[in-house]
Amino acid sequence: MSHNIVLLPGDGIGAEVIYAAKDVLEAISKKYNRTFQFSSYDIGGVAIDQHGTPLPDETVEACKQADAVLLGAVGGPKWDNNPSDLRPERGLLGIRKALDLYANLRPVKGFPKLLHASPLKEEIIQGSDLLIVRELTGGLYFGQPSERIDNGNAVVDTLSYTKREMERIIDKAFQSAALRNKHLTSVDKANVLESSKLWREIVEEKKSEYPDITVEHVLVDAAAMKLITNPTQFDVIVTENMFGDILSDEASVLTGSLGMLPSASLAEDGVGLYEPAHGSAPDIAGQGIANPVAMILSSAMMLRYSFDMNQEANEIEVAVESVLNQNYHTADLKNEHGTLVNTSEMTDLIVKAINQ
Ligand code: IPM
Ligand code: MN
């Protein structure tokens, strides 16, 4: 059986890291006798330049037909002053919506070798291993109206959710907690927002369906603080779109670098999309020095969640860890005693570890 993977390299370092992930997948395909077929489509700024839109129809069509999608990153200064419907980010938000990718899973696991690269004290991050379950297709990102009003003298963004949208992400989080350490932290702002009050009610209602999961409610401001003062208290965190966006960047410091953080965006029934949590990093794009690990770990998540290839996914994760354990690091990860490598050297090391 052949697996058809659509690659959406996008902008900045997106292309550099996505071809790194492809090399790793090709090593896996040889070792495990799997057939992966790759095709590439445009999204984001390159799509604006090539097709006049950040999300061409043929890209959406190809993703819908695919068995899984890998996405690099979108955005860059070239398009920063574009009107909002011609911004690269619109392409990313558009494909999330078009594929109904409501569940964004962002695992955050400190690698022992990288503890020193974190700005936090080692004793604080030691042993931290958490999963952020972020709602991805609702809330402030998509609510209407979102516009300037009153002749530009006022502005409105809308935070809207249906009950059903909340229920499905909360269910996903309970299910994720059941597969891990059975502790769920629901993050909201129920002391202020109506949407958060409903969110909290739903979590309370659902508790009885998952009796072996311990549930805790934490306000988002407190959660932001606890993430960096006591990260080991978390197992699974579930939260709405915007809170999840902010908390997941914050949590990335636990891994030493945003360049280490993979993610999976899943639909209820349909194709999954896998992308690093980092952006297009225009400041280092084109230099071949980007850290490909977040993208490579995202492709491992693809193997696990979309193709049920657990052993192959583990193989990639173990390979990454073994290369880090040998003290190799990219420029984003400070390590005075280690060996600094670029994108392709890091990729080759991971491929070599797989082939061993
Ligand atoms: C992310 C990114 C995106 C988001 C941007 C690029 C629109 O920050 O995937 O976290 O806000 O969701
Ligand atoms: Mn983000």
Side-chain angles (χ1 to χ4, degrees):
M1 192 175 119
S2 155
H3 295 274
N4 159 20
I5 301 168
V6 162
L7 304 177
L8 306 177
D11 308 316
I13 62 169
E16 298 163 47
V17 296
I18 215 162
Y19 293 110
K22 182 168 177 265
D23 287 350
V24 169
L25 288 169
E26 270 160 357
I28 290 290
S29 101
K30 285 206 194 80
K31 180 158 181 178
Y32 289 87
N33 202 13
R34 302 287 196 181
T35 314
F36 301 132
Q37 261 166 356
F38 299 94
S39 51
S40 301
Y41 288 85
D42 292 330
I43 193 168
V46 294
I48 296 173
D49 292 350
Q50 300 287 324
H51 314 267
T53 163
L55 187 60
D57 291 343
E58 59 168 32
T59 299
V60 177
E61 240 355 87
C63 291
K64 285 186 173 163
Q65 303 300 324
D67 295 314
V69 181
L70 286 180
L71 184 140
V74 300
K78 183 173 177 194
W79 307 280
D80 271 354
N81 297 319
N82 282 13
S84 51
D85 54 337
L86 281 180
R87 287 190 59 110
E89 292 77 7
R90 271 297 166 94
L92 179 56
L93 300 182
I95 196 70
R96 287 173 179 171
K97 198 73 175 176
L99 303 177
D100 200 15
L101 303 169
Y102 75 101
N104 184 223
L105 311 186
R106 296 187 163 179
V108 182
K109 191 172 167 217
F111 290 91
K113 266 286 167 187
L114 298 182
L115 293 185
H116 69 274
S118 169
L120 300 180
K121 294 196 186 88
E122 293 195 20
E123 62 260 33
I124 288 183
I125 44 177
Q126 202 136 42
S128 60
D129 179 358
L130 56 98
L131 173 71
I132 298 183
V133 177
R134 168 189 174 193
E135 201 293 323
L136 203 59
T137 48
L140 275 172
Y141 276 64
F142 294 96
Q144 290 299 328
S146 169
E147 63 196 11
R148 306 288 167 99
I149 49 177
D150 193 16
N151 294 323
N153 291 313
V155 64
V156 58
D157 282 309
T158 305
L159 201 180
S160 79
Y161 269 111
T162 63
K163 197 170 177 201
R164 152 115 192 85
E165 283 173 321
M166 290 185 178
E167 283 167 350
R168 64 178 180 175
I169 189 71
I170 290 166
D171 271 320
K172 187 79 186 178
F174 271 108
Q175 289 153 12
S176 304
L179 298 172
R180 294 176 44 106
N181 292 323
K182 305 194 167 37
H183 185 264
L184 179 63
T185 306
S186 169
V187 171
D188 63 35
K189 189 71 186 172
N191 53 346
V192 178
L193 298 176
E194 200 54 40
S195 54
S196 285
K197 286 177 201 152
L198 177 59
W199 177 280
R200 201 175 270 221
E201 278 166 35
I202 294 171
V203 173
E204 279 300 304
E205 259 169 49
K206 292 219 167 271
K207 248 166 51 175
S208 57
E209 288 174 39
Y210 305 92
D212 53 342
I213 311 287
T214 320
V215 179
E216 197 184 357
H217 299 279
V218 179
L219 295 172
V220 62
D221 47 355
M225 183 210 28
K226 288 178 178 170
L227 255 180
I228 53 169
T229 51
N230 188 9
T232 51
Q233 71 179 246
F234 296 106
D235 175 24
V236 176
I237 293 176
V238 63
T239 192
E240 65 88 48
N241 201 347
M242 175 69 105
F243 296 160
D245 178 47
I246 298 167
L247 293 181
S248 56
D249 266 32
E250 188 194 3
S252 75
V253 304
L254 305 172
T255 63
S257 165
L258 191 51
M260 301 297 296
L261 209 64
S263 91
S265 304
L266 306 175
E268 275 173 271
D269 181 22
V271 65
L273 180 149
Y274 302 83
E275 56 172 316
H278 64 68
S280 59
D283 52 325
I284 59 161
Q287 300 177 33
I289 59 167
N291 183 349
V293 168
M295 187 78 243
I296 288 168
L297 292 175
S298 299
S299 70
M301 293 187 84
M302 173 189 79
L303 296 180
R304 181 172 291 122
Y305 289 103
S306 284
F307 302 162
D308 229 358
M309 297 181 188
N310 237 321
Q311 201 185 344
E312 290 86 338
N314 287 338
E315 173 93 44
I316 294 178
E317 289 159 357
V318 167
V320 166
E321 180 133 25
S322 83
V323 172
L324 297 174
N325 284 345
Q326 295 163 58
N327 265 324
Y328 291 105
H329 68 100
T330 42
D332 53 317
L333 296 161
K334 305 266 166 308
N335 185 350
E336 273 126 50
H337 313 292
T339 313
L340 177 66
V341 292
N342 62 26
T343 310
S344 67
E345 289 164 337
M346 180 55 100
T347 308
D348 291 346
L349 286 162
I350 294 168
V351 166
K352 216 177 344 143
I354 288 170
N355 289 335
Q356 242 163 33

